[in-house]
Amino acid sequence: METKRMVLLDIDYITKGEKAVVRLFGREKNEKEENPIIVLDRGFKPYIYVVPHDLDKCQEQIVEELDVLQVEKVKIKDLGQKKDFIKVTLNHPQDVPKLRDKIRDLPEVKDIREHDIPFYRRYLIDKGLFPMAEVEVQGNVINSPEMKDIQDIQTNTTTCIMELEGEIHPMSSDFPDLNILSLDIEVYNPKGMPNSEKDPIIMISLSSNQGLQMVLSTAESPLDFVETVESEAEMLRRFVDIVKEENPDLLIGYNSDNFDFPYIRDRAAILDVPLNLGTDGSSLKFMKRGFANAALVKGRVHVDIYLIMRRYLHLDRYTLERVYLELFGKEKHDIPGDEIHRYWTAGGEKLETLFRYSLDDAVTVTEIGEKMLPLTQELTRIVGQPFFDVARMTTGQMVEWYLIRKAYEQGEVVPNKPSASQYSNRRGKRATGGYVKDPVKGLHENIVYFDFRSLYPSIIISKNVSPDTLVNECDPEKCHISPERGYMFLKEPAGFVPSIIGNILHERVRLKTMMKESKDEKEKKILNVQQEALKRLANSMYGVYGYSRFRWYRLECADAITAWGRDYIKKTMVKAEDFGFKPVYADTDGFYAVYQD
DNA sequence: AGCCCACGGGG
DNA sequence: GTGTACGTGGGCT
C-alpha cells in the first residue's frame, strides 16, 4: 500500500458489476511526479432520509417492500429541531430515482429528504473533500494494462491508477498552480454560419500558460508558430496528441461549450478521428445542462470562459473583444466571422493576418483565464463542489451547495427543492425591494456618499434572520421584530444561515488582516482573491430567501431583511439632515447628500 | 400591462 | 444521471 498526495481536480462515478465506483481525478504532488492520477473508491453507498408517520412501522414497511441495502433509525435536526428519520441506504445511485417515488408512496412514509443530491456531490460532502485543494490517499497502484482495462481505463502512458484501500482525507493546502491550455478553432464557412456537416476546420490555435503558442492548419505559412498538417483529420489527431503532451489540468475556450467543442466533435465523427482527450483515455463528452451543453473531458477540467465573464462582468455585450477591453483596457482587433473565408482563400499576407488573429484569440483567452479563474478556483475551494460545476453555477447555486455542505457538517437535514407547484406559487410573490429615493434634479456640488458595509449580511446576523428562528408568536424580549410587517425572529439560538454568514465574515476579516500584514506580493494577491470570494458568497446569501427555486426560500425572511434595510437607511438619512446633509438620492444601502450650512 | 418567445457567444 | 439554464428585452395582443 502506498500513500499519495494530489490536487483534486474532478470526480465522477462509473458502474462496475452493478456497483458504483467513485473516481477521483487529480494531479500528483511530489518532487518528481506531475502526472495525472485517478483514485478508485468502491466503498461509498447512496442514501436518502425518510420522514415516517410511525417510526417502527415505517422501518418495517421499507424492509418488507423494497430491495435496499440498509434501513436504520437516525436523529437529525430539521430547521434546528431534532427529529426521527429513517436513513435508507441503497445499492446503487440510480436506485434513488428508480425507487424514490415508490418509497414516497408507501403509506407509512410522510416524506423523503436528500433524494436529489448527485452521488459524486454527496461523496465530496460526506468525506469532507474539496476540489482545487489537496487530498491524501492510501491505496494500491494498478500497473497492469489488463487491470486498467477492467476499470474502463484505456492504457495511457502517464496516468497513475490507484485503488483506494485505506484512508482518504483532505489536506490543508495552498492555492494550486494549474497548467492551462486554451483552444480556438477557425472554420471555412463561405455561406452563413458554420455548418459542421460541410464546413471544415481550417485552424486550431493553442495557447498555454507554460509557453506554448501554436496554430495547427492545413495551410502552409512561413510563420514559425504555424504547424502545417496534411489534412483536417490529421489536424484533429495532432490536436489530441498535443493535449496529451501538454497534459493540462484545465482546458479553456471562449464559448467552447457551445461552439468549439461541439464543432470538433462533429468533424471528428465525420472524419473518424478518436477524441480520447481524457486522462482515463476517454473521449470528449457532452452533458446536458438544461438546454445548453457542457463539454466534458475527464480528468482535465474544461471551463468555458464566456460563462465566467457573463457571471462576473456587467456588460452590454460579451464578445471576446469587449471583455478584453474591459479587463485590460486594450483594443483587440477582430476579423468579422463572415470574412474569414476570404482571408483564407486570398493567401499571402491576408492568410498571415488570419493566422495571427487566430493565435491572438487563443492567447487572449489564456490571459483572461489567468486573470479571472482564481476567483472561481477559490469559490470551488469554499463551496466544495467540482470546478467544472462551480464554473457553470449561478451564485445562488453556489450558496445552495455551500449551505448543503454546512447542513451536513451541522447535522441538519437539507430542505427539499420546491415542487413545480410550489415553484410557480413562489414565482408570483416578491419581497419588497430596497429603499429608493428618486434623485433631486439638478447639478449638485459638495456631494457626500454614505453607505452601509454589507447591509443585508449584517442584518441577517444582527437580527438572526433564518427559517429556523422565524416564529409566529414570541415574548418581545426574546425576539427581533421587523419594521412594517412585524416578522419575529428568536434572538437565540443563532440561526443556521446567520451563523454561517457570521463565520464567512469572520474568516474574511482574518484574511484581510493577513493581507495587510503580508509582505509577499503573490501571497497578498491570493489572499485578496480569497477574501473577495467570501464577500461574494456572503452578499449573495440574502438571495436564498427570495429566489423561488431555492431550498431555504422563505419570503418572510427576504421581506424582513429589506424592511430593516429601508428602516436603517431612512433613519440614517434623517440623522444626516440633523447635521445639515440634504439627501439628493438614495438606493438600498447608501445615499448621496449635499452639505448645506 | 401582461404574455410569449427568442437570444446570448462562436465562424 | 440522487440531472434538465436563465434573465432579459422586444414584439404582439
Side-chain angles (χ1 to χ4, degrees):
Chain A
M1 197 152 80
E2 281 181 60
T3 301
K4 285 192 182 277
R5 211 179 149 127
M6 68 184 198
V7 173
L8 181 58
L9 295 170
D10 203 5
I11 179 169
D12 72 356
Y13 82 90
I14 53 168
T15 300
K16 279 279 133 190
E18 299 184 342
K19 297 227 168 81
V21 184
V22 171
R23 304 194 300 176
L24 299 152
F25 295 87
R27 159 91 40 184
E28 273 192 73
K29 272 287 251 194
N30 61 48
E31 284 74 39
K32 48 184 206 295
E33 303 280 355
E34 274 261 314
N35 286 335
I37 176 166
I38 302 171
V39 177
L40 308 169
D41 186 355
R42 295 156 202 286
F44 192 64
K45 299 292 172 202
Y47 61 88
I48 65 167
Y49 293 113
V50 168
V51 188
H53 284 293
D54 178 279
L55 191 59
D56 292 313
K57 280 188 200 162
C58 185
Q59 186 178 19
E60 232 170 82
Q61 195 163 59
I62 293 166
V63 171
E64 263 172 44
E65 302 283 329
L66 301 158
D67 177 25
V68 294
L69 208 59
Q70 200 181 4
V71 184
E72 57 191 316
K73 295 172 193 163
V74 290
K75 275 192 198 295
I76 13 174
K77 286 183 281 176
D78 188 8
L79 295 180
Q81 306 288 315
K82 278 256 182 203
K83 282 186 188 166
D84 288 314
F85 287 89
I86 295 168
K87 181 177 177 180
V88 180
T89 306
L90 298 104
N91 292 297
H92 190 277
Q94 299 196 359
D95 287 352
V96 177
K98 252 186 248 165
L99 294 178
R100 72 178 152 212
D101 290 338
K102 223 176 183 176
I103 299 174
R104 194 176 7 223
D105 292 344
L106 288 175
E108 283 296 335
V109 172
K110 203 189 281 179
D111 200 4
I112 53 171
R113 304 285 284 271
E114 303 201 8
H115 54 82
D116 52 6
I117 296 176
F119 190 57
Y120 65 94
R121 295 195 176 181
R122 177 91 274 171
Y123 185 91
L124 291 172
I125 292 167
D126 290 21
K127 300 278 181 183
L129 303 181
F130 292 81
M132 291 296 135
E134 287 175 31
V135 171
E136 197 174 77
V137 284
Q138 294 176 336
N140 300 319
V141 172
I142 302 173
N143 286 313
S144 74
E146 299 78 32
M147 282 305 289
K148 285 188 181 179
D149 196 47
I150 289 168
Q151 308 307 330
D152 272 355
I153 291 159
Q154 286 159 37
T155 320
N156 185 297
T157 46
T158 57
T159 305
C160 169
I161 315 296
M162 182 186 244
E163 181 88 44
L164 186 80
E165 281 293 338
E167 296 281 307
I168 177 161
H169 45 75
M171 305 294 286
S172 68
S173 52
D174 292 338
F175 212 68
D177 284 323
L178 301 177
N179 293 352
I180 306 174
L181 179 68
S182 84
L183 73 144
D184 177 48
I185 65 166
E186 309 299 331
V187 171
Y188 181 79
N189 56 309
K191 289 179 212 149
M193 283 302 286
N195 175 353
S196 62
E197 279 174 34
K198 44 182 204 290
D199 301 333
I201 297 172
I202 53 177
M203 294 179 190
I204 300 178
S205 295
L206 299 163
S207 153
S208 83
N209 64 347
Q210 308 295 308
L212 178 85
Q213 292 192 358
M214 70 181 298
V215 181
L216 294 170
S217 177
T218 43
E220 300 212 7
S221 172
L223 293 166
D224 59 358
F225 59 80
V226 176
E227 181 182 316
T228 306
V229 288
E230 274 185 6
S231 64
E232 191 190 2
E234 193 52 38
M235 180 161 54
L236 289 166
R237 277 190 283 269
R238 187 75 184 104
F239 163 64
V240 173
D241 284 344
I242 292 168
V243 170
K244 285 184 187 165
E245 278 164 31
E246 288 291 312
N247 228 338
D249 305 307
L250 244 60
L251 276 170
I252 63 175
Y254 205 78
N255 202 25
S256 41
D257 265 347
N258 283 303
F259 182 71
D260 300 75
F261 275 121
Y263 210 92
I264 287 170
R265 168 199 57 194
D266 293 351
R267 296 305 296 170
I270 290 167
L271 300 165
D272 203 23
V273 176
L275 292 174
N276 49 335
L277 295 160
T279 59
D280 63 342
S282 68
S283 178
L284 170 69
K285 287 185 180 56
F286 289 85
M287 292 188 67
K288 271 220 158 75
R289 300 177 66 89
F291 304 113
N293 276 335
L296 184 86
V297 176
K298 295 279 179 205
R300 316 185 194 282
V301 188
H302 167 231
V303 176
D304 186 338
I305 297 295
Y306 163 64
L307 300 173
I308 304 284
M309 294 304 104
R310 293 210 68 162
R311 199 138 311 139
Y312 297 144
L313 303 179
H314 293 284
L315 305 175
D316 46 349
R317 296 186 65 74
Y318 293 88
T319 61
L320 188 54
E321 290 70 33
R322 180 68 189 84
V323 164
Y324 187 73
L325 177 66
E326 186 68 20
L327 291 177
F328 297 97
K330 284 185 266 185
E331 294 278 350
K332 177 176 155 13
H333 291 284
D334 181 38
I335 300 176
D338 54 8
E339 285 177 31
I340 285 173
H341 71 275
R342 288 199 203 105
Y343 282 71
W344 174 255
T345 319
E349 264 183 47
K350 283 271 186 193
L351 179 60
E352 235 172 72
T353 306
L354 181 59
F355 274 124
R356 288 184 204 280
Y357 279 37
S358 179
L359 180 64
D360 189 52
D361 278 358
V363 172
T364 298
V365 170
T366 302
E367 279 180 62
I368 297 174
E370 283 191 285
K371 191 182 170 91
M372 297 303 286
L373 287 175
L375 181 59
T376 309
Q377 211 176 322
E378 188 51 37
L379 284 164
T380 300
R381 283 161 62 101
I382 299 167
V383 171
Q385 290 302 329
F387 193 68
F388 181 89
D389 296 13
V390 172
R392 290 166 178 80
M393 278 180 189
T394 62
T395 42
Q397 288 168 317
M398 288 184 211
V399 167
E400 186 159 284
W401 283 101
Y402 181 72
L403 292 177
I404 290 171
R405 183 179 276 262
K406 290 291 166 188
Y408 176 83
E409 288 173 5
Q410 298 185 14
E412 274 272 349
V413 67
V414 173
N416 284 336
K417 275 197 275 200
S419 65
S421 68
Q422 282 172 316
Y423 177 66
S424 60
N425 244 330
R426 291 175 181 187
R427 280 206 65 163
K429 299 168 190 164
R430 288 220 143 196
T432 317
Y435 174 72
V436 178
K437 176 189 162 61
D438 286 333
V440 176
K441 279 180 195 162
L443 188 63
H444 304 288
E445 283 181 346
N446 292 327
I447 293 243
V448 287
Y449 181 60
F450 297 83
D451 76 327
F452 289 101
R453 231 165 5 125
S454 325
L455 178 65
Y456 289 169
S458 308
I459 291 171
I460 294 173
I461 294 167
S462 62
K463 304 299 179 188
N464 209 24
V465 180
S466 195
D468 48 323
T469 56
L470 176 69
V471 287
N472 288 323
E473 45 190 62
C474 177
D475 173 356
E477 289 292 303
K478 289 184 177 162
C479 63
H480 300 287
I481 302 171
S482 81
E484 301 170 41
R485 302 284 297 272
Y487 298 113
M488 293 176 284
F489 299 93
L490 294 173
K491 288 181 179 172
E492 284 185 344
F496 175 65
V497 174
S499 67
I500 288 162
I501 297 184
N503 289 339
I504 291 176
L505 295 185
H506 189 261
E507 174 66 8
R508 183 171 175 234
V509 168
R510 197 181 68 83
L511 290 174
K512 283 182 88 167
T513 312
M514 279 171 68
M515 193 172 96
K516 276 185 198 126
E517 285 169 1
S518 173
K519 300 268 181 285
D520 182 355
E521 277 308 309
K522 197 183 169 195
E523 189 183 68
K524 260 188 196 299
K525 245 185 182 166
I526 290 169
L527 288 166
N528 190 42
V529 170
Q530 294 179 326
Q531 69 87 13
E532 277 292 326
L534 291 172
K535 180 181 159 186
R536 279 190 81 84
L537 213 59
N539 283 335
S540 43
M541 214 157 271
Y542 145 76
V544 297
Y545 292 140
Y547 297 147
S548 20
R549 61 186 142 56
F550 285 102
R551 296 172 190 258
W552 280 272
Y553 172 92
R554 191 89 7 147
L555 194 68
E556 296 94 319
C557 292
D559 231 10
I561 293 162
T562 55
W564 263 305
R566 289 189 297 274
D567 193 50
Y568 279 129
I569 193 133
K570 282 192 231 166
K571 280 181 179 156
T572 311
M573 282 163 66
V574 169
K575 272 259 165 64
E577 284 195 74
D578 292 346
F579 287 99
F581 294 97
K582 179 113 187 84
V584 289
Y585 171 62
D587 190 356
T588 312
D589 60 355
F591 63 90
Y592 294 87
V594 285
Y595 187 67
Q596 297 171 327
D597 305 285

